[in-house]
Amino acid sequence: MGSLNGKIALITGAARGIGQAIALRLAGEGADLVLCDLNQEWLEETATKARALGRRVECASVDVSNADSVQKGVAALTEQFGRIDVLVNNAGITKDQFLLRMSEADWDAVLDVNLKGTFLFTKVVAKQMLKQKAGAIVNIASIIGLIGNAGQCNYAASKAGVIALTKSAARELASRGIRVNAVAPGFIQTAMTDKLTADVKEAMLRNIPLNTLGTPENVADAVHFLASDAASYITGQVITVDGGMVMS
Ligand code: NAI
């Protein structure tokens, strides 16, 4: 028996990287999956792997930053499954630049996907969870939202916003049986961090007490915990998965 047997989990940005690892971890624990990403085709790899674990999987092409796309995508998927027990807001982008050179378009794009996307999905899915009087929402933030980073004003602001949204939604929804938590990864080996130069990676390693980059599976483990009944008395929290970079 998996810890999520019989549960339905919706994961955004599930085509690759951390989102794919989360989807496969939750599927391995028995959850059926609703997978969303920009392009349905991109999700096929994740869907095929999850189906091989014996799970039911539906995919939808959804732009998390577009209210209409989110509304239609979630409505269609909820109709098919009848409920959503777990929502993981994982889709995210970076458009790094120093503050004085950052364009308004790059500011807006990052805030729209990372923060507004989390708001839009949380709003639509929470409506369904309110009917069920139960649900667990896990938002993927970042340690950059806690400590900031030169060249990432837009990204840091978006992830700090995700953390504040997590805490406020947790307070609003707790009495209705819905828990809202966040995971703040440090530096995780994915396409997002593959873009970094060897020098930057070496400098990062010097600041990681556990002296290694994290894996998407490390993040998925924390998400699984927060999504499961093992975390039934935990809401409004941020778990850092960062090899010890940020200690509060
Ligand atoms: P990734 O770039 O490998 O995957 C992101 C996924 O989100 C992609 O499949 C992409 O198509 C999807 N996506 C992007 N914009 C979208 C939109 N508008 N609508 C729907 N889907 C969209 O990124 P990675 O590294 O797997 O990151 C996942 C999450 O983890 C992000 O929120 C990121 O900010 C966060 N994170 C990643 C860290 C890392 O070191 N890789 C560290 C801290 C946080």
Side-chain angles (χ1 to χ4, degrees), residues 127-212:
K127 263 189 203 154
Q128 173 62 30
M129 288 177 168
L130 283 171
K131 288 187 207 153
Q132 302 163 191
K133 296 189 173 58
I137 298 172
V138 184
N139 296 326
I140 305 303
S142 166
I143 58 158
I144 303 305
L146 293 167
I147 60 174
N149 197 20
Q152 291 199 304
C153 283
N154 50 359
Y155 186 74
S158 74
K159 294 299 188 176
V162 166
I163 290 169
L165 167 60
T166 299
K167 293 177 181 176
S168 300
R171 288 186 189 277
E172 278 189 34
L173 299 171
S175 64
R176 317 293 282 275
I178 302 167
R179 297 182 297 103
V180 190
N181 290 289
V183 172
F187 289 101
I188 309 297
Q189 252 168 333
T190 68
M192 200 178 256
T193 43
D194 284 348
K195 289 188 261 177
L196 302 170
T197 63
D199 285 357
V200 172
K201 279 190 189 162
E202 218 175 283
M204 268 162 30
L205 280 178
R206 281 197 289 275
N207 291 318
I208 302 176
L210 288 178
N211 200 34
T212 178

Side-chain angles (χ1 to χ4, degrees), residues 31-174:
D32 288 330
L33 302 181
V34 177
L35 305 178
C36 300
D37 210 293
L38 280 176
N39 176 328
Q40 202 161 334
E41 246 175 65
W42 301 348
L43 288 166
E44 269 321 302
E45 185 187 315
T46 311
T48 304
K49 288 180 177 170
R51 288 190 187 111
L53 295 169
R55 303 272 64 86
R56 180 179 170 198
V57 183
E58 298 293 339
C59 299
S61 166
V62 177
D63 176 355
V64 299
S65 65
N66 180 302
D68 199 41
S69 171
V70 173
Q71 180 70 46
K72 285 189 181 132
V74 174
L77 293 161
T78 315
E79 203 169 296
Q80 289 181 47
F81 279 96
R83 56 186 293 121
I84 296 174
D85 301 292
V86 175
L87 166 66
V88 184
N89 283 306
N90 164 78
I93 59 169
T94 52
K95 286 189 184 289
D96 299 349
Q97 186 52 273
F98 291 113
L99 175 65
L100 296 187
R101 289 196 212 136
M102 186 175 287
S103 69
E104 188 179 346
D106 283 356
W107 171 272
D108 286 346
V110 170
L111 269 289
D112 278 357
V113 174
N114 298 4
L115 182 55
K116 189 169 130 190
T118 301
F119 158 68
L120 291 173
F121 256 92
T122 301
K123 184 174 169 182
V124 174
V125 173
K127 263 189 203 154
Q128 173 62 30
M129 288 177 168
L130 283 171
K131 288 187 207 153
Q132 302 163 191
K133 296 189 173 58
I137 298 172
V138 184
N139 296 326
I140 305 303
S142 166
I143 58 158
I144 303 305
L146 293 167
I147 60 174
N149 197 20
Q152 291 199 304
C153 283
N154 50 359
Y155 186 74
S158 74
K159 294 299 188 176
V162 166
I163 290 169
L165 167 60
T166 299
K167 293 177 181 176
S168 300
R171 288 186 189 277
E172 278 189 34
L173 299 171

Side-chain angles (χ1 to χ4, degrees), residues 235-246:
T235 197
Q237 304 304 308
V238 183
I239 296 186
T240 52
V241 178
D242 64 350
M245 280 181 86
V246 178

Side-chain angles (χ1 to χ4, degrees), residues 3-15:
S3 59
L4 297 176
N5 261 14
K7 304 268 190 196
I8 315 295
L10 189 162
I11 299 118
T12 70

